[in-house]
Structures are given as C-alpha cells and as structure tokens.
Amino acid sequence: MNDKLVQYMLNIDFGDITGEGDPKLFDYFLNDNYWDRIVNGKVFYVIGRKGTGKSAVYRFMEEEATQNGAIVTNADCAAFPFEKLLQLSDDDYSKPNQFQSIWKNIVLNYFIAQIATSWPEEYDNQYYRTICEYYKQFHGGGDISNLHRDIIQKTNKTSVGLQYKSFTVNNENAESSTFSRGFDNITKLNERLLSLLTNYFITTKRQTKFLIQFDRLDDNYNLYQKKTEYYHVILCLCKVIYFINQLFREKRINNAKIIVYLRSDIFTKINQIDAESARFSDFIFELKWAIINRNDWINPRLLQMINKRIEASNVAGIKSFEDLFPDAKINLRNNKGQQKVFNYIIDRSFHRPRDLVKFCICIQEEVCNNKLLYFRTIKDAEKKYSHWFLYAELANEINPILNDKVDATYQLLREMGPHSFRIEDFKTQYNSNRVSILSNYEELLKYLYQVGIVYNFGKDNSGQPIIRSIIRNDNEWNPKMMFQIHTPVWIALSI
C-alpha cells in the first residue's frame, strides 16, 4: 500500500504557493462568492495576512470580469518604484498631499483609459467625447497599463516642484489649467478629470462596470529604508480610494470602483499613524481561513482548498487529502493516540492556504528523495517547512520592524526554550542579554504575539487548555497568561 501512496504522491500537482503566476490557479480556485461580496458589496479594501490568497482573489476578479460585463485594470505594484516616489517628497506640501495628488492622478487616468478604449463607442455623450480627446492628446491613444509605474519613473523633483512630462506641480494653489494648455497644476487637473468622469458615469447608458485593482504593494516591504514615509504613501492611496469610492456612492454611481489588496499588518500600521483611517473599517473584506472551534474542523475551507488541488491533478484513485494521506497508514501519534495528518499540519501553520500547500510540497520532496510515506516522512518535511516558515515567510514581516535585532531576537527565543513561560521569565532573559530590542521586553513580547511567533497558553477552571492566538482567533495578548513559542518557529530555531 505504501508503494501505491508513494506513486500517487509523485503524480500530484499541489500548485504554486502564491496566486500570482500560477498557470493552473483557476482549475482549483476556491470561490467564496468573491465577486458579489467584494465588487457588488461595500468593499474598498481586501486585507489579510501574507499567504491568505489576496493575489489569487485579485487574479480571479480579472477572470470573472468578462462573465460579469466588467472591465478590470490590474495595477500590479510588485515593481512599483516606491523609493523613487519617496524621493519626490516636497517640504512645500503638507505631509501627504503630493502623494495623494499623484495617486489620484493615476486612478483617474486609469478610468480615462478604460472608458476611451472600451466598446461600444458613445459619441452621443459629450463627456465621452472629451474623455477620448484627453486620452488621445495626452496618452497618444496607446497602452497605459503600467501608468502607475510610468508616472513615477518619469517624474522628477525640480527647483519649482514635481515635473512629469508636460505638467508641473508647483503648489496646491496654482491657477487651473486647461487640457489644451497642458498640465500646469496636478491638483486642478485632478479636479477637472474627476468632474469629467463623475458626469460620464452619471449620464452613460452602458451597464459596464469599471474596476481598478491595486495589489502587491508590500512585495518589497522589507527593503524600504524610509518605513514611515512608505506607510504614508500607502495611507494616501487608501485615502484616495476612500474619497473617490465614497463620491461615487454619494452620486449613486454603481459602475465604477477602486479596490486595494493589502497585508493586514500594514493596514493596521496605517491605522495607527492616522486617526481618520478608522473610517476605513466599514469597507474592509478580510480573508480568513482560521480553524477556531471544534465544529470548524468539519470540512473546513482549508481542506476544501487542498482537495480541489488534489482532485484537479486527475490521479486515478485519489480524490481527497484523506486518500493521499490515510491517517492509519501514516500513523502519526502523540500522547493521546493517533493524529490526523491534516490537523497536524494546520496546527503547525498560520492557518493559511500558503502554509498547507508548502507543507504538502515539502512532504512530496521527501517522498521523491526517499520513496517512503509514513510518520517519519511528515516529521522530516516539517523541518523543511519550518525553516521556510521562519527564515523566508516571516522574515518579510518582521525584518522591517526588528531591523538589525532579528538575530538577537532569535537567540532570545532559543534561550526561552520550547516550553511555556511567564512574562517575568521573558523579562529576566531579555535583561540578561543586554541587547535593546524595540523599546523594552514587554513591547517585544507583545510584538512577537502580534505576528504569531508566540501565543498565550493556559487552562480554564476545569483544567482544559486555553489558547489565545492572533492567528486563530485574533485575541489580544494577555500578559497574565503563560506564553509559548509557535511550533514551526521553535523547530526552525533549534535545527
């Protein structure tokens, strides 16, 4: 039987761990009514931890657009020149204004391009005619699919302000320009374009929905040296999205929308630096996969997700995770007896699709090398997964915050050990290291909890275990409870 399992395993295609670029994504994409909930719903911001499928949903929206009579522009910001944008900061402006002006111009020009290049033509609509005139005059009627990058790359800081092609940003109070006179003032231009687009959307007879999506704003997050300015840039984009979408809602415009896909930790950060961003909370769709309660283990969405990938592999005799990983044959055990392989993997993850797929790929690599599939195969694969989990996956989130103190933090965690500990124990070890990490031991421990490296552990009055975790149930940390290092983190630290 094990020989058959080995053969099955070698023929399964688990797919990519990320949504972008996966050629088979739509063969096994788990659709949770996303189009209706996000595009037709009251959603401006799709947020989730890294690896929860934001980019997969982003691509799915583009795939669904044709069936829903929509036009989608996907602004992929993986190669967005943030460092160049941050260099354009001008002391003549109040802190965020220049960034908001640039983002607004990008968004409005994307809508202009969508309308001017879509079918059917509407020359009986005066606003449509003006849109086409503008598009032809200032974009040459050509492709501007990378406008969000081009507009930054071609913008320079001069003695009189920010200059891009034929327009110059002097100050926010310069006299208005006309299209024919060129872009003398980006703020006034934005006002005119927004008015033009609003009037078009109100008067058009078309039912087409125009959608603009921004994704992968955080791909190179840990490389940016100006973290505070970076947060302001993202905050400004979110403010522009809020302002324009709310204007459209006020005018009862239902066929135009902007959506941004953003990591939840970055979204939380921008909320901390700007009190007004609290109003964003009513327009959030959060991607969550966590299995929290006992009943959640009954056909959870994570299991459905991996089952779709296994079934899409079209391997005869294998339709599900249980077929591929029969618990009795693999025989994983703990002090309570036999463990389910699926439960074992999920308990060692961040409850995300990326974790489950990566762990399965690690198992597949072990099977390929050793031609065996049993409990030891799972354990060996766990070491590979844990190393990736800490040093590749978590690194992108914690490096920008801990900076050069990452190694010192890892050493401190090693000294805490795999068993539960009190905050007083952590304080003692922190002080003995004589290394200042963040402002103090409490801030560090709270941060480690917030990123999922440690969790709270305790027992209720009946002796049953209680787990408080940012990963599973978004609970705030409790410094009065015990703490424990998340299993894959400890495994990676101890290898």
Side-chain angles (χ1 to χ4, degrees):
M1 178 62 181
N2 199 278
D3 290 342
K4 287 186 177 180
L5 287 179
V6 168
Q7 195 57 47
Y8 290 150
M9 176 64 71
L10 296 179
N11 288 293
I12 292 292
D13 183 2
F14 291 109
D16 295 354
I17 65 171
T18 58
E20 62 268 8
D22 187 343
K24 297 183 178 180
L25 177 66
F26 303 115
D27 293 341
Y28 42 66
F29 183 80
L30 187 62
N31 182 11
D32 196 16
N33 196 26
Y34 289 121
W35 183 272
D36 192 54
R37 297 172 72 182
I38 296 173
V39 178
N40 295 331
K42 196 175 73 170
V43 174
F44 306 163
Y45 316 100
V46 178
I47 67 171
R49 293 185 67 90
K50 187 181 177 187
T52 51
K54 296 185 296 299
S55 292
V57 175
Y58 166 86
R59 283 186 59 196
F60 173 75
M61 293 301 183
E62 186 176 35
E63 185 78 3
E64 287 284 285
T66 303
Q67 299 179 32
N68 288 279
I71 295 173
V72 176
T73 295
N74 280 350
D76 188 329
C77 295
F80 190 76
F82 276 106
E83 289 291 356
K84 173 70 185 297
L85 177 58
L86 297 179
Q87 293 170 9
L88 301 177
S89 180
D90 196 321
D91 294 337
D92 292 337
Y93 294 95
S94 57
K95 187 73 174 182
N97 282 353
Q98 76 276 31
F99 296 143
Q100 287 191 50
S101 295
I102 291 172
W103 280 125
K104 188 179 292 185
N105 192 258
I106 288 171
V107 167
L108 297 177
N109 275 282
Y110 268 132
F111 276 130
I112 291 284
Q114 286 181 330
I115 295 166
T117 59
S118 61
W119 189 264
E121 297 172 336
E122 297 179 273
Y123 284 108
D124 59 334
N125 185 312
Q126 61 175 317
Y127 304 111
Y128 175 81
R129 294 196 301 271
T130 305
I131 285 171
C132 289
E133 177 188 349
Y134 170 88
Y135 177 68
K136 182 178 181 180
Q137 184 174 354
F138 295 106
H139 297 296
D143 175 45
I144 60 167
S145 59
N146 291 322
L147 182 145
H148 59 297
R149 297 198 290 268
D150 295 341
I151 199 169
I152 304 304
Q153 293 286 19
K154 297 176 182 178
T155 301
N156 293 298
K157 189 173 181 179
T158 70
S159 59
V160 294
L162 302 181
Q163 190 173 48
Y164 171 76
K165 287 187 176 179
S166 60
F167 72 80
T168 301
V169 185
N170 246 348
N171 59 66
E172 298 291 329
N173 299 311
E175 294 182 1
S176 174
S177 65
T178 62
F179 292 156
S180 59
R181 289 170 55 199
F183 302 91
D184 294 311
N185 180 276
I186 193 172
T187 303
K188 296 299 181 181
L189 172 68
N190 287 345
E191 291 174 1
R192 186 170 180 185
L193 290 180
L194 184 58
S195 176
L196 175 63
L197 286 165
T198 301
N199 286 325
Y200 168 75
F201 288 131
I202 290 173
T203 60
T204 182
K205 298 176 183 178
R206 297 176 63 179
Q207 299 301 310
T208 305
K209 189 179 289 289
F210 297 92
L211 181 67
I212 299 171
Q213 300 192 116
F214 290 90
D215 187 33
R216 297 212 284 176
L217 290 149
D218 48 34
D219 255 31
N220 298 310
Y221 172 49
N222 62 339
L223 300 180
Y224 304 132
Q225 300 302 311
K226 301 178 180 179
K227 300 298 185 305
T228 302
E229 288 86 348
Y230 166 79
Y231 292 135
H232 276 288
V233 168
I234 301 301
L235 172 63
C236 287
L237 173 59
C238 290
K239 284 187 172 183
V240 166
I241 289 172
Y242 180 87
F243 169 76
I244 295 178
N245 282 340
Q246 284 291 62
L247 176 65
F248 288 166
R249 292 180 71 231
E250 176 189 335
K251 302 293 185 181
R252 299 184 183 276
I253 295 171
N254 299 315
N255 56 338
K257 193 173 194 180
I258 316 140
I259 298 171
V260 64
Y261 296 75
L262 196 62
R263 251 172 46 188
S264 51
D265 60 305
I266 296 177
F267 195 82
T268 299
K269 191 68 178 179
I270 66 174
N271 273 268
Q272 293 172 351
I273 65 174
D274 189 280
E276 288 187 6
S277 63
R279 57 188 176 172
F280 299 163
S281 61
D282 290 336
F283 304 93
I284 291 172
F285 181 89
E286 188 166 6
L287 294 171
K288 290 186 175 182
W289 299 79
I291 301 173
I292 303 170
N293 303 311
R294 184 176 299 177
N295 290 338
D296 294 340
W297 289 99
I298 302 172
N299 196 30
R301 290 174 61 241
L302 280 169
L303 183 59
Q304 295 173 40
M305 180 276 300
I306 201 67
N307 281 344
K308 287 199 73 170
R309 292 180 179 237
I310 291 170
E311 188 173 2
S313 297
N314 294 317
V315 175
I318 298 295
K319 298 294 183 183
S320 68
F321 187 92
E322 180 60 31
D323 293 336
L324 192 60
F325 298 98
D327 298 322
K329 295 292 183 182
I330 292 177
N331 198 28
L332 270 174
R333 307 188 71 82
N334 60 16
N335 56 7
K336 294 182 179 180
Q338 191 177 90
Q339 287 186 281
K340 286 183 169 293
V341 177
F342 177 79
N343 296 32
Y344 183 90
I345 292 175
I346 297 303
D347 283 341
R348 283 152 175 77
S349 77
F350 269 1
H351 291 231
R352 306 173 305 178
R354 182 177 299 185
D355 295 312
L356 180 52
V357 173
K358 180 64 177 181
F359 206 126
C360 287
I361 291 173
C362 289
I363 295 172
Q364 190 175 50
E365 291 172 353
E366 285 297 311
V367 171
C368 183
N369 291 335
N370 301 311
K371 303 300 184 291
L372 294 170
L373 179 55
Y374 69 122
F375 72 89
R376 179 50 58 192
T377 311
I378 308 298
K379 295 286 189 179
D380 290 341
E382 184 178 3
K383 294 177 183 178
K384 288 185 177 180
Y385 163 78
S386 297
H387 188 276
W388 165 85
F389 180 85
L390 180 61
Y391 295 109
E393 190 66 4
L394 271 177
N396 189 264
E397 187 168 346
I398 66 177
N399 285 355
I401 306 300
L402 298 180
N403 295 314
D404 59 342
K405 303 299 174 59
V406 172
D407 289 341
T409 302
Y410 289 167
Q411 183 56 37
L412 175 59
L413 291 171
R414 289 188 186 95
E415 291 165 359
M416 295 311 303
H419 305 296
S420 56
F421 56 87
R422 301 170 302 162
I423 190 171
E424 291 81 5
D425 301 324
F426 189 80
K427 176 183 179 181
T428 299
Q429 201 64 55
Y430 178 95
N431 291 335
S432 68
N433 279 341
R434 298 179 182 177
V435 176
S436 177
I437 308 171
L438 299 184
S439 61
N440 55 53
Y441 74 94
E442 188 170 350
E443 185 186 359
L444 175 59
L445 187 56
K446 183 177 181 180
Y447 173 73
L448 295 175
Y449 179 92
Q450 290 172 341
V451 295
I453 288 178
V454 303
Y455 59 89
N456 278 139
F457 178 82
K459 293 183 178 180
D460 61 20
N461 294 332
S462 63
Q464 294 298 312
I466 299 174
I467 294 177
R468 295 171 64 93
S469 168
I470 200 70
I471 305 306
R472 295 179 60 184
N473 41 29
D474 287 333
N475 280 332
E476 288 294 322
W477 80 315
N478 184 347
K480 296 181 181 180
M481 293 178 66
M482 303 291 284
F483 291 87
Q484 194 155 346
I485 300 172
H486 193 25
T487 301
V489 175
W490 175 252
I491 291 175
L493 290 172
S494 59
I495 291 176

